[in-house]
Amino acid sequence: MQEGMVYNIQRMSVQDGPGLRTTVFLKGCPLRCIWCSNPESQKFAPQMMYFENLCTGCGACANACPNGAVVLLENGKFGRDPEKCTDCGVCTEVCPHQARVMSGKIMTVGEVMEVVRKDELFYLNSDGGVTLGGGEPTAGGDFFLALLQQAHDEAYHCTVDTCGCCPEDRFSETIRLADLLLFDCKHMDPERHKALTGQGNALILKNMRNALSSDTKVRIRMPLMPGLNDTEENLAAMADFFGEFHRHEIEIMPCHFFGRNKYLALNLSMPPLRQYTPEELRAVEKRFGRYGLKPVIV
């Protein structure tokens, strides 16, 4: 049985495709988008996350840690020494307040499907189903394809939330098995795309073309970042690209700071981003319209 790294399974989701869904988040991503709101999704290995606001200073973690990585802070709480911490997870097993939790665990296709099947009646009554997200789910390789195949074989509506940074042969299988792709479009210029995400977009746009030329339903999504990808040049390039396929609706996801606590929990610096004011967002939406694009906030 294929197995892979999963960092969350969210039941009763309403944002990741039609109806009520179970969203399976696979850990690991080839991109490093500077606006990522789920930094724990990027690495392919388990990570310990420490939420200082939940720590009560009981000291159970310090007694359990085999590496001496737990340190007493000035406020009486227990933090960690990142140079000694190996993400072994022993401290998370004894923390009574979930101040220390592990992100990521190995699961088999069968174990994931056991969770998925629990809400089958809700899928049937809401036209919902299963969504595979990440990270980048296609980066899960054989495990991802086996999981998608199993969900497809059991006749669940299958959605894949993807950035499209995936080998062509694997993505062709993804297109074949999925009922819906939520496909991110981050930037049209290859150099700007690389600067913002760590990777170019040639492969991504090729996979996008193949998806839009297929019979699989595609919803185009765009993380919208002030001053980074909302320029006139980028919107015009998007209009030209998607106009070839007579596609004009773009689901936009304006910049937010929902992941701030996760950066703190991983001892990472928060990216230097800013949110739109309501006036700025309305102005950007009008710019979309000038190029024949219809933005829909999700």
Side-chain angles (χ1 to χ4, degrees):
M1 180 69 73
Q2 291 286 349
E3 59 181 26
M5 183 68 64
V6 176
Y7 78 92
N8 189 23
I9 300 180
Q10 181 177 320
R11 297 167 64 187
M12 298 298 175
S13 173
V14 295
Q15 297 295 330
D16 303 317
L20 293 173
R21 313 189 68 80
T22 293
T23 302
V24 182
F25 294 93
L26 276 60
K27 201 170 186 319
C29 185
L31 303 186
R32 291 294 181 269
C33 303
I34 65 173
W35 52 76
C36 182
S37 59
N38 295 304
E40 79 280 18
S41 74
Q42 296 179 0
K43 290 187 176 182
F44 289 87
Q47 293 171 279
M48 196 277 285
M49 302 178 72
Y50 168 59
F51 297 92
E52 184 178 330
N53 62 307
L54 298 178
C55 178
T56 62
C58 71
C61 53
N63 294 328
C65 179
N67 303 304
V70 176
V71 294
L72 181 63
L73 305 177
E74 292 182 358
N75 59 8
K77 299 186 178 187
F78 286 87
R80 66 168 169 178
D81 183 337
E83 294 185 0
K84 293 182 179 180
C85 182
T86 62
D87 292 309
C88 69
V90 172
C91 63
T92 68
E93 297 173 4
V94 299
C95 179
H97 303 290
Q98 292 190 309
R100 295 167 181 268
V101 297
M102 289 302 294
S103 174
K105 67 176 180 177
I106 295 293
M107 297 184 71
T108 66
V109 169
E111 288 171 336
V112 174
M113 291 306 298
E114 282 183 21
V115 180
V116 168
R117 295 184 191 110
K118 291 179 180 180
D119 294 322
E120 186 172 273
L121 287 177
F122 294 102
Y123 311 148
L124 293 175
N125 291 325
S126 68
D127 293 324
V130 182
T131 297
L132 301 184
E136 170 51 40
T138 63
D142 291 342
F143 171 71
F144 158 74
L145 287 179
L147 182 56
L148 181 58
Q149 181 74 64
Q150 187 63 40
H152 176 272
D153 290 348
E154 294 188 28
Y156 294 118
H157 180 280
C158 297
T159 295
V160 178
D161 189 349
T162 179
C163 71
C165 190
C166 172
E168 286 183 68
D169 57 344
R170 190 186 306 159
F171 205 76
S172 293
E173 276 295 284
T174 302
I175 294 171
R176 182 182 71 83
L177 293 170
D179 297 292
L180 169 65
L181 298 176
L182 303 178
F183 206 135
D184 274 10
C185 179
K186 303 175 191 296
H187 207 290
M188 299 303 295
D189 180 80
E191 292 303 318
R192 285 297 292 156
H193 192 283
K194 186 173 184 178
L196 295 172
T197 73
Q199 297 285 348
N201 64 355
L203 177 60
I204 291 171
L205 293 180
K206 192 167 189 177
N207 285 331
M208 177 80 84
R209 285 185 177 278
N210 290 338
L212 291 172
S213 300
S214 74
D215 293 329
T216 298
K217 186 176 181 181
V218 179
R219 283 164 49 183
I220 303 157
R221 289 188 161 184
M222 180 185 185
L224 193 62
M225 302 293 130
L228 298 181
N229 64 353
D230 61 353
T231 63
E232 299 285 350
E233 293 80 7
N234 192 45
L235 296 183
M238 288 178 62
D240 287 343
F241 181 90
F242 292 114
E244 295 181 30
F245 302 93
H246 307 288
R247 300 295 296 269
H248 305 287
E249 185 171 291
I250 309 291
E251 297 183 356
I252 59 174
M253 300 174 287
C255 180
H256 60 73
F257 295 150
F258 297 158
R260 183 188 297 274
N261 66 326
K262 296 180 179 182
Y263 278 87
L264 294 174
L266 291 170
N267 198 34
L268 298 174
S269 299
M270 184 68 186
L273 302 173
R274 70 177 185 87
Q275 294 176 296
Y276 289 101
T277 65
E279 294 77 15
E280 288 175 328
L281 186 55
R282 284 193 292 269
V284 172
E285 290 182 274
K286 290 181 180 179
R287 292 214 303 274
F288 273 86
R290 288 205 291 269
Y291 295 101
L293 296 172
K294 180 183 177 181
V296 178
I297 296 178
V298 295

